[in-house]
Amino acid sequence: MRQSTLFTKTRKEAPKDEVSKNAELLIRAGFINKEMAGVYSYLPLGLRTLNKIMEIIRREMESIGGQETLLTTLQAPEVWKKSGRWDDKVVDVWFKTKLLNETEVGLANTHEEALTQLLKSHISSHKDLPIYPYQFQTKFRNELRSKSGLMRAREFIMKDLYSFSKSEEEFRAFYEECAAAYIRIFGVLGIGDRTYRTFASGGSFSKYSDEFQTVSEAGEDIIYVSKEKNIAINKEVYNDEVLADLKISKDELEEKKAIEVGNIFPLSTKFSDALGLTYKDEDGSQKPIVMGSYGIGPGRVMGTIAEILSDEKGLVWPETIAPYDIHLIEISNVNEDVKKEAERLYTTLSESGVEVLYDDREVRAGEKFAESDLIGIPIRIIVSEKTLAEGKYERVMRKDGAADMVNESALLSQT
Ligand code: ATP
Ligand code: MG
């Protein structure tokens, strides 16, 4: 990608009405645009990062048997009335609207009802189970406060997977597999060292659910953590009974602010009972299907990473989700040979599959570097009169500023 053709521009100033660090940085770097409170558009750089996050999640969901689907945003009230969740007093984040003929419809905030209803046409026998449909789908939630940028949006993409199992035992086995997949996901995303599987309230269906909480000052949740024992407990369920269950004492735990980047939730037969989704067991009897739900917010993850892996100069992306692998910067000072060499390197790298953002603009070096720091691509490669004279390129790591001189083959083998 030639930066001279990239339509987004970086900004020195954050928008006045933006209070969260993640949105401020992402807006300044041209990754997202704020449409209104809690509503953000993804621009080319931001979409590349979002897509990479979703691809990492997708790969893990496929590896545990997930089958990708895409359900609708528009929701008919009938199925939600059956589960009791159409009521605004039960679900307080509904966006509802009407067809021209006055029929009410909802904008989906989650998909248990729709999917359970849909599966009645596909599941009838024990041979049809277990199954694990999932999707990346836009949810609408009328969040009361939306001041945390991408971390609490009113319109956002969620990866939601739902498990449909024959028994509690079969459900539990998958639940643990999915928990392990989540740990792998947050590891690849570069936040594994501060993300904890966290005991949280499980509503009426089971004693606990599990949240995946990333420790951050920007977090809206409070958790109690033992790094040593790798145990974390959400404040909501932090009491003597839980401590006894987990065989841990108060003085082993530290209070931290954290961001819920994902969660997994036992649903038991709440939705299959309400909507009448059953299967015929081997002995001929009809049995209810045991369900679970498993969410991750790719946008919230992106906001979290922007929040915790940034510095005073800007964003610092992990290699796995950076919009590009390399930020190639030419400092030609109208030197045609430098320009030619930068062009040649851009073509060579691109042809060998390296994703390069190439700053080919006629802009001062200082400005290019400052913008590059803000955008946060992991490796910066500089082509200048100085590097040309040495027959090498200058390589600067965004993470720690470490710089060295490399030749082309070293560059190609690194990425
Ligand atoms: P919270 O308690 O933070 O509101 P939740 O319990 O409502 O989260 P779920 O309904 O289980 O969350 O959604 C699954 C995942 O979707 C969350 O773990 C989070 O990553 C993401 N998510 C939830 N709400 C939002 C939001 N308003 N903006 C962005 N991502 C969200
Ligand atoms: Mg919520």
Side-chain angles (χ1 to χ4, degrees):
M1 179 73 190
R2 288 172 185 277
Q3 220 168 319
S4 60
T5 65
L6 184 65
F7 76 77
T8 57
K9 304 288 177 279
T10 64
R11 301 161 55 162
K12 291 205 173 59
E13 301 295 325
K16 282 189 190 63
D17 60 340
E18 188 57 68
V19 291
S20 75
K21 179 165 89 172
N22 70 87
E24 183 192 311
L25 283 170
L26 290 163
I27 291 168
R28 284 185 49 217
F31 280 59
I32 61 172
N33 187 68
K34 183 175 187 169
E35 306 297 336
M36 62 184 101
V39 181
Y40 298 92
S41 297
Y42 287 84
L43 303 175
L45 295 174
L47 183 59
R48 288 181 73 93
T49 290
L50 185 72
N51 279 335
K52 287 184 180 187
I53 293 171
M54 293 197 290
E55 199 46 43
I56 289 166
I57 299 170
R58 178 179 283 118
R59 221 180 298 136
E60 288 295 341
M61 293 301 100
E62 293 287 328
S63 85
I64 57 172
Q67 298 181 42
E68 191 164 358
T69 51
L70 182 58
L71 272 58
T72 62
T73 287
L74 292 180
Q75 297 282 306
E78 292 73 35
V79 280
W80 290 84
K81 284 180 181 161
K82 285 186 187 161
S83 70
R85 295 209 293 183
W86 181 251
D87 192 334
D88 293 324
K89 288 188 218 72
V90 178
V91 171
D92 58 6
V93 293
W94 267 118
F95 279 107
K96 292 177 181 172
T97 184
K98 279 182 182 162
L99 303 181
L100 288 178
N101 70 6
E102 294 294 304
T103 308
E104 268 199 299
V105 292
L107 304 184
N109 50 71
T110 182
H111 278 84
E112 284 85 358
E113 282 83 352
L115 189 57
T116 306
Q117 175 67 25
L118 182 161
L119 286 176
K120 288 171 73 174
S121 322
H122 297 272
I123 306 294
S124 56
S125 151
H126 62 93
K127 291 182 200 142
D128 301 327
L129 295 167
I131 53 157
Y132 312 114
Y134 76 99
Q135 60 181 348
F136 291 92
Q137 200 271 358
T138 301
K139 307 291 185 247
F140 289 86
R141 291 189 182 178
N142 205 343
E143 303 276 3
L144 185 61
R145 269 177 295 277
S146 202
K147 291 187 173 166
S148 298
L150 285 189
M151 299 188 315
R152 187 166 297 285
R154 296 195 165 106
E155 171 179 344
F156 61 96
I157 293 176
M158 190 194 288
K159 184 287 296 174
D160 42 335
L161 182 148
Y162 303 88
S163 65
F164 297 82
S165 305
K166 293 188 284 295
S167 64
E168 194 59 40
E169 195 185 6
E170 191 176 71
F171 155 75
R172 259 306 141 186
F174 179 78
Y175 188 82
E176 288 305 319
E177 263 189 69
C178 191
Y182 272 31
I183 294 292
R184 291 196 294 275
I185 288 166
F186 296 120
V188 175
L189 289 171
I191 51 174
D193 59 335
R194 55 189 111 185
T195 301
Y196 292 88
R197 180 173 174 176
T198 305
F199 287 89
S201 63
S204 54
F205 321 128
S206 94
K207 204 159 172 191
Y208 303 116
S209 71
D210 292 83
E211 293 171 344
F212 292 78
Q213 292 275 3
T214 305
V215 171
S216 162
E217 273 306 306
E220 295 179 0
D221 291 3
I222 304 281
I223 62 170
Y224 294 86
V225 187
S226 160
K227 198 172 173 81
E228 203 182 352
K229 292 198 171 165
N230 195 26
I231 287 180
I233 307 167
N234 192 308
K235 190 174 186 174
E236 308 168 338
V237 296
Y238 181 70
N239 57 41
D240 291 337
E241 191 198 336
V242 175
L243 292 170
D245 272 5
L246 302 177
K247 300 188 181 60
I248 195 159
S249 73
K250 275 193 172 146
D251 43 81
E252 291 175 87
L253 295 160
E254 244 187 294
E255 187 180 289
K256 300 267 188 203
K257 283 188 179 171
I259 302 161
E260 182 204 303
V261 284
N263 70 16
I264 60 178
F265 214 94
L267 297 171
S268 188
T269 58
K270 175 180 157 106
F271 294 97
S272 45
D273 283 344
L275 293 157
L277 177 66
T278 60
Y279 71 97
K280 192 176 199 171
D281 209 351
E282 273 167 278
D283 63 9
S285 65
Q286 288 294 327
K287 292 194 171 148
I289 291 176
V290 179
M291 291 172 54
S293 71
Y294 311 78
I296 297 182
R300 183 179 286 186
V301 166
M302 184 168 157
T304 300
I305 292 170
E307 197 75 42
I308 61 185
L309 299 182
S310 50
D311 61 20
E312 67 291 345
K313 294 178 188 166
L315 299 158
V316 183
W317 296 109
E319 283 158 38
T320 48
I321 59 164
Y324 291 91
D325 302 322
I326 284 182
H327 202 170
L328 175 64
I329 296 182
E330 56 97 330
I331 308 295
S332 69
N333 298 321
V334 242
N335 178 328
E336 274 310 308
D337 293 340
V338 172
K339 184 98 196 161
K340 250 187 240 154
E341 178 53 20
E343 291 282 333
R344 194 196 59 78
L345 183 62
Y346 174 57
T347 308
T348 309
L349 288 171
S350 303
E351 281 173 358
S352 61
V354 182
E355 296 174 6
V356 184
L357 179 62
Y358 171 31
D359 195 347
D360 58 339
R361 299 168 307 157
E362 308 269 319
V363 171
R364 280 189 312 113
E367 207 168 307
K368 288 190 174 186
F369 294 153
E371 282 188 60
S372 174
D373 282 336
L374 178 59
I375 291 169
I377 294 167
I379 301 170
R380 178 190 302 167
I381 297 295
I382 302 156
V383 183
S384 66
E385 282 178 346
K386 182 181 139 226
T387 69
L388 197 63
E390 282 191 47
K392 290 187 175 180
Y393 312 106
E394 188 180 356
R395 173 173 63 184
V396 184
M397 309 309 282
R398 175 64 183 87
K399 210 164 138 185
D400 54 11
D404 62 356
M405 299 296 289
V406 284
N407 58 27
E408 188 175 318
S409 59
L411 241 188
L412 283 168
S413 63
Q414 173 193 5
T415 41

